[in-house]
Amino acid sequence: VPGPCDPEDLLDGVIFGAKYLGSTQLVSERNPPTSVRMAQAQEAVDRIKAPEGESQPMTEVDLFVSTQRIKVLTADTQEAMMDHSLQTISYIADIGSLVVLMARRKLPQRSEVAEEKRLYKMICHVFHSADAQIIAQAIGQAFGVAYQRFLEANSIDPSELSPRQYSRALEDQEQYNAELTHFSRQENCKDVCIRKQKGEILGIAIVESGWGSILPTVVIANLMHGGPAERSGELSIGDRLMSVNGTSLVGLPLATCQSIIRELKHQTEVMLNIVHCPPVTTAVIRRPDSKYQLGFCVENGVICSLMRGGIAERGGIRVGHRIIEINGQSVVATPHEKIIQILTQAVSEVHIKTMPASTYRLLTGQEQPIFL
């Protein structure tokens, strides 16, 4: 793995001397473009750096970099000031003699605004070092070494899988169009008229359908007992909302869709265009061999990222969905490590049942629905 360090050293950890300037917190999307990340890094520097003419407070530290974690240690006592798992590091930037380290932070359990906009808190640490570029390269190398070790642990030789081979595997797998076929059937699409009292809410809770959906729109995740939507008998959990009173919801952010529905409170009739969909969907991934990467990442059973154009996206995997079953085996109560093991070993035709993670949390009582 190319980089400034010996890959073996990164397994144990490498220490760089630096000066700690300070930390700040930003709110960000999970995976914005690199240009946005760089602008965020510059914003962090601007917040922390002392104004021109004033002295900059700095603390001598040691930066510990390994394939497992990044620690900031006090130079004299070697006490840990900060400790981040490598997996939580979202971006590293070197700006001249400054290094900016950006790590994800968990949001409070009931942060509804952040959940609506899919925002994450980022803690940004700023350091000064003559070796700023080398430090940034070493952290990037740590990711590469960690990934190579993961492949080796699963008996996959990275050199055996060329880009050409993976391209051929993609060509052999047709787009799994079950979703598209379902949407194109007229019997699944219908207009529903909901009658209600003036000032009464519809009584539905909605979530996003997930990045990568053929028709990205909101999904009905819950129906308020005795509310107008439930009384109509026309709606079910899992149904996609295509439009409300002629206003299309396709492609709109969740918060915008919620605002549109809230504005219907004073109407007595609401016309919804929906597509009847089951709450659980099935993705079919055709994977010839375990050396072909599936092309998605999972955190505690939830699909958190997806490689565009990979075999998983072609198979119908969606970001933000909770895995329910893998090849008929329930993984609802399965530990994260076991899910990874099952996915790593799954080959041939892999059937994965999923539902939006927000829907799953509502149905299992982990969250309370926000009815509109």
Side-chain angles (χ1 to χ4, degrees):
V1 178
C5 302
D6 186 323
E8 294 296 325
D9 290 342
L10 284 169
L11 296 176
D12 297 322
V14 177
I15 289 179
F16 297 91
K19 293 179 179 178
Y20 171 63
L21 274 64
S23 301
T24 187
Q25 191 168 268
L26 300 173
V27 177
S28 169
E29 294 177 10
R30 185 184 179 90
N31 294 307
T34 304
S35 59
V36 173
R37 277 279 189 248
M38 197 62 199
Q40 290 171 341
Q42 185 62 60
E43 181 184 346
V45 169
D46 293 342
R47 287 188 189 181
I48 291 167
K49 207 170 181 185
E52 196 70 35
E54 295 185 18
S55 62
Q56 176 72 53
M58 290 189 283
T59 306
E60 294 278 350
V61 296
D62 285 334
L63 274 175
F64 173 86
V65 178
S66 77
T67 55
Q68 296 294 321
R69 51 204 329 105
I70 295 177
K71 295 182 183 180
V72 182
L73 310 170
T74 55
D76 47 2
T77 64
Q78 294 293 287
E79 291 182 14
M81 296 168 58
M82 302 150 206
D83 185 354
H84 295 290
S85 167
L86 192 67
Q87 293 174 325
T88 66
I89 304 301
S90 292
Y91 195 67
I92 320 110
D94 57 289
I95 305 172
S97 59
L98 299 178
V99 177
V100 183
L101 189 67
M102 302 175 68
R104 289 192 304 277
R105 297 189 68 178
K106 287 185 178 179
L107 288 165
Q109 186 68 29
R110 293 286 297 159
S111 183
E112 293 163 2
V113 174
E115 181 69 21
E116 285 178 5
K117 297 181 180 178
R118 281 191 170 278
L119 298 180
Y120 295 80
K121 286 183 179 177
M122 309 295 298
I123 185 76
C124 306
H125 307 300
V126 180
F127 305 90
H128 179 279
S129 173
D131 297 324
Q133 188 174 18
I134 293 174
I135 292 172
Q137 290 172 351
I139 297 173
Q141 185 185 9
F143 278 96
V145 175
Y147 179 63
Q148 187 176 48
R149 292 288 163 167
F150 168 77
L151 294 178
E152 290 170 357
N154 290 284
S155 303
I156 301 171
D157 183 353
S159 63
E160 289 182 0
L161 184 59
S162 68
R164 186 181 297 275
Q165 285 177 295
Y166 192 71
S167 296
R168 279 202 294 267
L170 289 176
E171 290 167 4
D172 292 340
Q173 174 166 331
E174 295 180 6
Q175 180 87 24
Y176 182 59
N177 280 333
E179 187 177 39
L180 187 59
T181 303
H182 183 88
F183 273 64
S184 63
R185 287 181 180 152
Q186 193 59 43
E187 63 267 26
N188 295 327
C189 309
K190 63 186 293 187
D191 289 323
V192 175
C193 182
I194 307 293
R195 293 177 174 82
K196 63 185 189 66
Q197 299 295 319
K198 191 172 183 179
E200 190 180 20
I201 62 173
L202 278 178
I204 61 173
I206 58 174
V207 299
E208 290 175 319
S209 57
W211 181 85
S213 297
I214 297 296
L215 281 173
T217 185
V218 288
V219 181
I220 296 177
N222 213 322
L223 297 170
M224 185 173 74
H225 181 64
E230 188 190 59
R231 291 199 306 265
S232 73
E234 299 281 354
L235 300 175
S236 304
I237 293 173
D239 289 348
R240 305 279 184 93
L241 285 181
M242 309 306 292
S243 69
V244 176
N245 284 349
T247 301
S248 174
L249 303 184
V250 176
L252 297 181
L254 176 63
T256 304
C257 296
Q258 289 175 325
S259 296
I260 291 171
I261 295 172
R262 283 193 182 102
E263 290 173 2
L264 305 171
K265 189 173 181 180
H266 297 293
Q267 299 189 23
T268 56
E269 284 191 0
V270 178
M271 185 63 71
L272 306 176
N273 180 258
I274 67 164
V275 179
H276 272 309
C277 295
V280 176
T281 58
T282 302
V284 179
I285 304 174
R286 294 178 177 87
R287 186 189 196 192
D289 192 280
S290 61
K291 66 183 180 182
Y292 294 90
Q293 59 176 311
L294 288 168
F296 67 92
C297 292
V298 177
E299 287 182 6
N300 298 318
V302 179
I303 296 149
C304 56
S305 64
L306 181 64
M307 186 172 73
R308 185 178 289 278
I311 56 175
E313 187 195 16
R314 287 172 180 253
I317 288 292
R318 304 290 174 249
V319 171
H321 276 218
R322 174 73 158 79
I323 299 177
I324 307 299
E325 281 185 11
I326 303 173
N327 286 337
Q329 177 183 349
S330 173
V331 294
V332 166
T334 303
H336 171 76
E337 293 74 16
K338 180 64 176 177
I339 293 175
I340 297 298
Q341 181 186 0
I342 295 170
L343 289 170
T344 301
Q345 297 172 351
V347 293
S348 188
E349 194 168 273
V350 187
H351 292 249
I352 302 178
K353 288 187 176 181
T354 70
M355 70 161 54
S358 302
T359 304
Y360 176 81
R361 291 193 295 269
L362 289 173
L363 294 179
T364 53
Q366 297 174 46
E367 289 183 5
Q368 292 301 310
I370 301 172
F371 290 114
L372 306 170

